[in-house]
């Protein structure tokens, strides 16, 4: 994700020494102008951030969305093809009892939650992979991947329903697009920040400090509170999705919302 930074570094390394000196000299002369310019650029980014926020119709939480929906769908399609290629020899057939069981659970989750915005717009497709991995994931375009290792480790259908509900919630809440947007945004912001430091004091040691701050910031956003927020959100919505189906299994009738009508 550091393409922009690497590009600049390459350009700098390719400059002949006399050009480097000239460049440094002009930077030194104009450092406050440069600083001001970059600050306004940074400010522009902050404004950009707040004008590109979108409120989730499910959770009501604001999030940054930089990539267009079509663009992101295309990326999901590529990711889907890569996974299919990787698991092509381990896919269970649609006739396999385990496939049928998963299909039933997903079908109930979707059917009973049609009122949740986004659920019925996605075409949910199930893939059961014969692998001991205790894992399941759902791509943003609705491709559900679940491993037999996970199927063997769940105790009952409710547990499976909750786990799948959690993964489906990630897709419905567009967590992947949100995360990718934030990574891009932080990258650009970090680049501006590093250039600013470098403009004021063109020493490598200071650039290193800037890089350290940037990496700490990303760690804070993605490894700790931010990722936790997304997981908690998927847990909460996933539980809500599964709760409606649980009713269905116990009563062995229709979805509660349907039977009330
Ligand atoms: Zn999760």
């Amino acid at each position: 994700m550091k393409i922009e930074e690497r590009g600049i570094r390459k350009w700098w390394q390719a400059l002949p020494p006399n050009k480097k000196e000239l460049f440094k000299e002009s930077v030194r002369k104009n450092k406050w102008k440069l600083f001001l310019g970059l600050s306004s650029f940074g400010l522009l980014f902050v404004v950009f951030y707040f004008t590109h926020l979108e409120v989730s119709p499910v959770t009501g939480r604001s999030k940054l969305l930089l990539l267009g929906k079509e663009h992101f769908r295309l990326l999901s399609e590529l990711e889907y093809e890569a996974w299919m290629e990787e698991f092509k020899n381990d896919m269970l057939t649609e006739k396999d009892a385990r496939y049928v069981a998963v299909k039933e659970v997903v079908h109930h989750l979707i059917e009973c939650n049609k009122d949740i915005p986004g659920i019925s717009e996605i075409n949910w497709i199930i893939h059961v992979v014969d692998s001991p991995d205790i894992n399941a994931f759902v791509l943003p375009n609705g491709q559900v991947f679940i491993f037999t290792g996970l199927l063997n480790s769940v105790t009952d259908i409710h547990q499976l329903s909750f786990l799948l509900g959690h993964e489906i919630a990630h897709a419905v809440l567009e967590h992947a697009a949100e995360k990718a947007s934030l990574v891009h945004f932080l990258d650009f912001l970090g680049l501006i920040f590093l250039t600013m430091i470098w403009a004021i004091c063109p020493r490598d040691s200071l650039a290193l400090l800037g890089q350290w701050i940037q990496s700490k910031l990303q760690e804070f956003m993605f490894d700790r509170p931010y990722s936790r927020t997304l997981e908690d959100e998927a847990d909460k919505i996933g539980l809500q999705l599964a709760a409606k189906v649980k009713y269905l299994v116990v009563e062995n009738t229709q979805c509660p919302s349907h039977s009330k009508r």
Side-chain angles (χ1 to χ4, degrees):
M1 289 292 179
K2 290 277 180 292
I3 301 159
E4 306 88 6
E5 233 172 275
R6 241 180 281 137
I8 287 184
R9 210 167 285 154
K10 257 194 193 153
W11 164 81
W12 178 247
Q13 276 161 1
L15 273 186
N18 61 324
K19 286 252 170 81
K20 269 187 194 170
E21 265 320 302
L22 267 172
F23 185 78
K24 274 187 185 170
E25 187 56 38
S26 76
V27 166
R28 235 170 273 142
K29 267 189 204 150
N30 298 303
K31 69 176 176 186
W32 290 112
K33 258 189 231 166
L34 211 66
F35 181 70
L36 207 74
L38 286 165
S39 307
S40 6
F41 199 49
L43 196 73
L44 217 82
F45 257 90
V46 175
V47 173
F48 178 85
Y49 174 83
F50 283 104
T51 49
H52 281 73
L53 287 181
E54 210 172 89
V55 178
S56 161
V58 184
T59 61
R61 186 170 62 81
S62 303
K63 59 189 173 184
L64 176 76
L65 281 184
L66 294 183
L67 295 172
K69 281 207 161 70
E70 271 314 303
H71 187 140
F72 201 71
R73 203 159 291 155
L74 198 76
L75 287 180
S76 310
E77 210 51 52
L78 290 176
E79 198 185 346
Y80 163 70
E81 276 162 24
W83 285 123
M84 286 306 274
E85 179 61 29
E86 183 164 345
F87 302 134
K88 66 179 176 197
N89 298 323
D90 309 312
M91 286 293 178
L92 292 190
T93 64
E94 294 186 16
K95 290 204 173 70
D96 192 289
R98 291 164 291 178
Y99 183 93
V100 175
V102 173
K103 193 178 175 182
E104 193 99 316
V105 171
V106 172
H107 176 77
H108 285 153
L109 277 168
I110 303 309
E111 279 304 307
C112 296
N113 289 288
K114 283 220 146 113
D115 55 318
I116 306 281
I119 288 253
S120 44
E121 279 103 85
I122 298 177
N123 183 21
W124 305 93
I125 295 169
I126 299 139
H127 310 277
V128 184
V129 184
D130 197 5
S131 152
D133 286 354
I134 301 176
N135 192 16
F137 58 88
V138 177
L139 298 182
N141 57 357
Q143 304 286 347
V144 180
F145 287 87
I146 181 161
F147 296 74
T148 48
L150 181 77
L151 292 178
N152 293 335
S153 68
V154 294
T155 52
D156 57 25
I157 201 150
H158 300 305
Q159 226 176 45
L160 180 64
S161 183
F162 169 67
L163 286 169
L164 283 167
H166 173 102
E167 296 307 324
I168 286 171
H170 274 309
V172 171
L173 299 171
E174 298 174 313
H175 281 167
E178 183 185 337
K179 237 176 171 170
S181 297
L182 207 57
V183 168
H184 274 301
F185 184 76
L186 281 182
D187 260 6
F188 274 112
L189 213 61
L191 182 69
I192 293 172
F193 182 63
L194 285 182
T195 318
M196 264 163 81
I197 290 179
W198 191 68
I200 298 166
C201 189
R203 272 191 214 127
D204 284 347
S205 54
L206 272 178
L208 278 178
L209 175 79
Q211 236 159 21
W212 181 79
I213 294 171
Q214 198 191 10
S215 75
K216 280 287 146 199
L217 184 74
Q218 282 205 350
E219 192 187 300
F220 180 77
M221 297 292 290
F222 292 102
D223 297 341
R224 284 156 200 165
Y226 179 68
S227 276
R228 205 49 251 164
T229 304
L230 296 189
E231 287 312 317
D232 288 347
E233 206 174 83
D235 271 351
K236 193 178 151 220
I237 302 297
L239 196 62
Q240 282 175 17
L241 299 181
K244 288 191 192 163
V245 185
K246 198 175 160 192
Y247 203 89
L248 174 94
V249 173
V250 171
E251 297 283 308
N252 202 18
T253 53
Q254 284 177 307
C255 308
S257 57
H258 292 178
S259 50
K260 264 180 223 148
R261 263 176 224 151

